[in-house]
Every structure is written in structure tokens, then in C-alpha cells.
Amino acid sequence: MAEDREQIEALIELMARLPGLGPRSARRAVLHLIKKRGALMGPLAETMAAVAANARECLTCGNVGTETTCEICRSVKRATGEICVVEDVADLWAMERAAVFRGRYHVLGGTLSALDAVGPEDLRIPKLEQRIEDEGVTEVILALAATVDGQTTAHYIADRLEGRGVSVTSLAQGVPVGGELDYLDDGTIGAALRARRAF
Amino acid sequence: MAEDREQIEALIELMARLPGLGPRSARRAVLHLIKKRGALMGPLAETMAAVAANARECLTCGNVGTETTCEICRSVKRATGEICVVEDVADLWAMERAAVFRGRYHVLGGTLSALDAVGPEDLRIPKLEQRIEDEGVTEVILALAATVDGQTTAHYIADRLEGRGVSVTSLAQGVPVGGELDYLDDGTIGAALRARRAF
Ligand SMILES: [Zn+2]
Ligand SMILES: [Zn+2]
């Protein structure tokens, strides 16, 4: 008899592990899904299974897609010699939505953080250095948050890249102090990119 | 090439249809799922598909489970002659978590609402009347929210059940004015049930 609830309880527990959903909102979400099991829960389960099977990180830049090299890294049009360095994939998506940058990306997967014990070896900085050689990069644009950790990371990367013949710039005008990229509107991101300055 | 993003975009769009998740939190949730695709996204997709295939509403009380008659309606132990009337399944679950009620439930599926044009024919009130006959019910406990719509609905049901030989009570002490059941702690629900009064 308890089997009646077991599957539903298991679903609630898994949903509650999503960022932004607690136990109560997970219960509400599951009840909503059960109500819309034909129109929403079925397609959602199917799409999720497909993404779980196919999604992978791009070995070059860290973007997500369905190939080991993402569509941006595969596109020759985007070999502009510019690489935009972002903290995570959500920031990459925010840049793409703004549609103001035509080069490629490099996803660090975090920022340096003494508090969270994230050191340079935890980020994808050696891979960035390798790409500068391999892809003939002329400009590295640091699109990191205007937070202490973001700016510490930006300074660290700028130091590491010194003497490699690449120009290192950073998003400037328009990024509010303490602000994170993924919260900005497209216009602000565009203004910040156009007004980028030597780092 | 655009296929890379299509599946992921479709998943974000479906996730954004869940209550409490907007486009931004859906994107965050999907990135989290992709990061944890083995440990979380796979099991979540599988469990969701199972619930989508198996979940159904109990034809008697409106609870959700995997049978056409839910485990509470199937249990002879719960044939106490008491039926607790709730607005939705989330409220039923809140009552069950409080573990203070041993009878059965009746899920209305909403409350009367002039604003949302919900009339008596949209709720499961005829079915409640039928159950009173079929199950030898002696007490109907109205566990509805202390809101205008909740109390309008309670009065309407009490009127409909007059002269049928059932005692109609309602949760009383402990339900804060304007409060909804699903937000209450278990102790408050227990106190309200014990102090129930004739309606
Ligand atoms: Zn890539
Ligand atoms: Zn039932």
C-alpha cells in the first residue's frame, strides 16, 4: 500500500534538490506535474532523459552542448582571435542572449575564493593558456563579476597572461559594483562590452 | 549545429512552467541538472516518467496515488465515519504529515470563488454527498482555509449537508486568519483539529 506514495515521495525528494526549490515548493511542483501529467510531466521527463543522455561539457571552452566540442568552438566564424572569459555557463548564455560578442568563450567554472578554498588549479586556467597558443588569440576579455572574488580572479589571470602577446581587457562601464553578469539586462552587457578598457 | 542547444532550450522552457520557477531559475536548475546529470538528472527523469505513467487521482476522494482508489480509501482502518474536507491534495498531505487524523479525506479541488468563476458544480460536492450515504459517514470536518473563499465554501457545504444526519464541524483554534493549511506547522494543525467546533 505504501508503494502508492513511494514514487511520488521519491520525485518530491529529487525535485527538492534543485537550486531554488525547497521541500514545500517541490511538493507544489510535483502536484502541478501530476495534474498536467499528459501535457507537461510526460514531455518534461522525456526531454530531461534526452538531455541527461546527450549533454556534455565542451572540452575546449566548458560550454554545454551535445558534442565534445560545442557549436561555438566548432564555428569558424567565431575564430575572431577574441576569447571572453566567464565564470560559468549561465554567464556565457547571458552574453549570447545580449548578442554583442562574436568571438569564443572560456568558462572558468568558478572564481578564486579563499573562503571556499578555490585555487587556480580548480579553474580552467592552464587550458586558457593553451588555447591562446593553439587558436592564435589576440585579445582576452575578462567578463567576470564586479565582486571581490571576481576581480581577484581577473587580476590573477591578467598576471598569468602577461608577456604572452595578448591584449587583456575587461568589461567596464555598466557592470554595477557587486553585480553578477547573469542578472544584467542585454543593453547593460552590450554597453560594458563596447566600453571595455585595457586591464 | 543549432541542435546542440535545442534540447537544452526545450528543457529550460518546460522547467519554467513549474510553479515558482521563472526563466532565470529554470536556466539555473537546468545547468545544475547538467552538472549532476549522472547523480540527479538521470534518476529525476526516470522517476518523473514513472510517476507520469502511474499517478492518478483517486475516484473516491481526489487524493493522488497509483490506483483508482487511493491507499487511504482502501484502508478499512480509516473507515472511522469521519471525512475531512480539504481544498487540494497539498492540504491533505499537510494533514497526513501532522498525523492527527485517522479518518478519510475529500479533496474539493478548489474553493468557491466569484472572482475566478468557480461554482459548486466545479468542486466535488455531489461526490461528497454520495460518500456520506455510501460510507455511513457521521462527521464531516471542514478543513478549509480561513480566507473569504474558504469560509464561503465551508458555509455552502454546511448548508448543503443540513438534514442529512451528519455532524458538520470545522477546524477552529490555531488556524490564523488569512492563513492556508499547507503553510501551518504540524502542532498548529493538531491543535486546530482537537479544538474543532460544531459549524
Ligand atoms: Zn566550446
Ligand atoms: Zn481516496
Side-chain angles (χ1 to χ4, degrees):
Chain A
M1 272 196 198
E3 279 165 32
D4 256 33
R5 285 293 305 279
E6 257 171 38
Q7 244 173 16
I8 294 172
E9 286 296 339
L11 181 56
I12 292 169
E13 208 195 88
L14 288 165
M15 289 292 284
R17 289 202 229 157
L18 291 176
L21 284 183
R24 181 168 193 283
S25 44
R27 285 196 297 270
R28 287 269 162 197
V30 166
L31 280 174
H32 183 79
L33 285 170
I34 290 173
K35 259 180 215 157
K36 314 253 174 199
R37 55 191 176 276
L40 180 56
M41 186 156 48
L44 180 56
E46 211 174 297
T47 308
M48 200 177 281
V51 173
N54 299 330
R56 57 203 75 248
E57 272 107 38
C58 173
L59 295 177
T60 304
C61 77
N63 186 16
V64 296
T66 52
E67 308 282 339
T68 50
T69 303
C70 77
E71 57 185 318
I72 295 173
C73 289
R74 290 201 305 272
S75 166
V76 287
K77 281 188 197 157
R78 304 206 57 157
T80 61
E82 297 161 309
I83 285 188
C84 179
V85 174
V86 291
E87 181 180 335
D88 59 30
V89 176
D91 293 335
L92 187 162
W93 289 356
M95 290 288 299
E96 286 294 287
R97 284 197 302 279
V100 287
F101 177 66
R102 299 309 302 156
R104 286 175 177 157
Y105 294 94
H106 196 75
V107 179
L108 293 177
T111 51
L112 296 176
S113 167
L115 212 65
D116 299 329
V118 179
E121 66 288 352
D122 301 311
L123 304 180
R124 306 176 66 256
I125 294 172
K127 180 72 188 172
L128 174 63
E129 291 176 312
Q130 189 198 312
R131 289 183 68 191
I132 290 170
E133 305 293 321
D134 296 353
E135 299 179 33
V137 172
T138 54
E139 180 176 359
V140 170
I141 302 165
L142 301 172
L144 299 170
T147 58
V148 172
D149 286 346
Q151 292 310 301
T152 301
T153 308
H155 279 282
Y156 177 84
I157 294 173
D159 285 349
R160 284 264 302 237
L161 300 187
E162 216 172 84
R164 287 180 181 261
V166 284
S167 145
V168 179
T169 60
S170 70
L171 297 192
Q173 192 196 22
V175 181
V177 172
E180 295 186 343
L181 274 191
D182 192 29
Y183 284 86
L184 298 183
D185 62 287
D186 300 351
T188 306
I189 289 181
L193 184 82
R194 284 187 296 274
R196 66 187 184 268
R197 55 181 167 72
F199 195 84
Chain B
M1 272 197 199
E3 280 166 33
D4 255 32
R5 285 294 303 279
E6 257 171 39
Q7 246 174 13
I8 295 172
E9 286 297 338
L11 181 57
I12 292 169
E13 208 195 87
L14 288 165
M15 289 291 286
R17 290 202 229 158
L18 291 176
L21 283 183
R24 182 170 191 281
S25 45
R27 285 196 297 269
R28 288 269 164 197
V30 167
L31 280 174
H32 183 79
L33 285 170
I34 290 174
K35 259 181 215 159
K36 314 253 174 201
R37 56 191 175 276
L40 181 56
M41 185 156 48
L44 180 56
E46 212 173 296
T47 307
M48 198 177 281
V51 172
N54 299 330
R56 58 203 73 248
E57 273 106 39
C58 173
L59 294 177
T60 304
C61 77
N63 186 15
V64 296
T66 53
E67 308 283 338
T68 51
T69 303
C70 77
E71 57 185 320
I72 294 172
C73 288
R74 290 201 306 273
S75 167
V76 288
K77 282 189 196 156
R78 305 206 54 158
T80 61
E82 298 162 309
I83 285 188
C84 179
V85 174
V86 291
E87 181 180 335
D88 59 30
V89 176
D91 293 335
L92 187 162
W93 289 356
M95 290 288 298
E96 286 292 286
R97 284 197 302 279
V100 288
F101 177 67
R102 299 308 303 157
R104 285 175 178 158
Y105 294 94
H106 196 75
V107 179
L108 293 177
T111 50
L112 296 175
S113 167
L115 212 66
D116 300 328
V118 179
E121 66 288 350
D122 301 311
L123 305 181
R124 306 177 65 256
I125 294 171
K127 179 72 190 173
L128 173 64
E129 292 176 311
Q130 189 198 312
R131 289 184 67 192
I132 289 169
E133 305 293 322
D134 296 353
E135 299 179 33
V137 172
T138 54
E139 179 176 359
V140 170
I141 302 165
L142 302 172
L144 299 170
T147 57
V148 172
D149 287 346
Q151 293 310 300
T152 302
T153 309
H155 280 280
Y156 177 84
I157 294 173
D159 285 349
R160 285 265 300 239
L161 299 188
E162 217 171 84
R164 287 180 181 261
V166 285
S167 146
V168 179
T169 60
S170 71
L171 295 192
Q173 190 197 23
V175 181
V177 173
E180 294 186 343
L181 275 192
D182 192 30
Y183 284 87
L184 297 184
D185 62 288
D186 300 352
T188 306
I189 289 180
L193 184 82
R194 284 187 297 274
R196 64 189 186 265
R197 53 183 168 71
F199 194 84

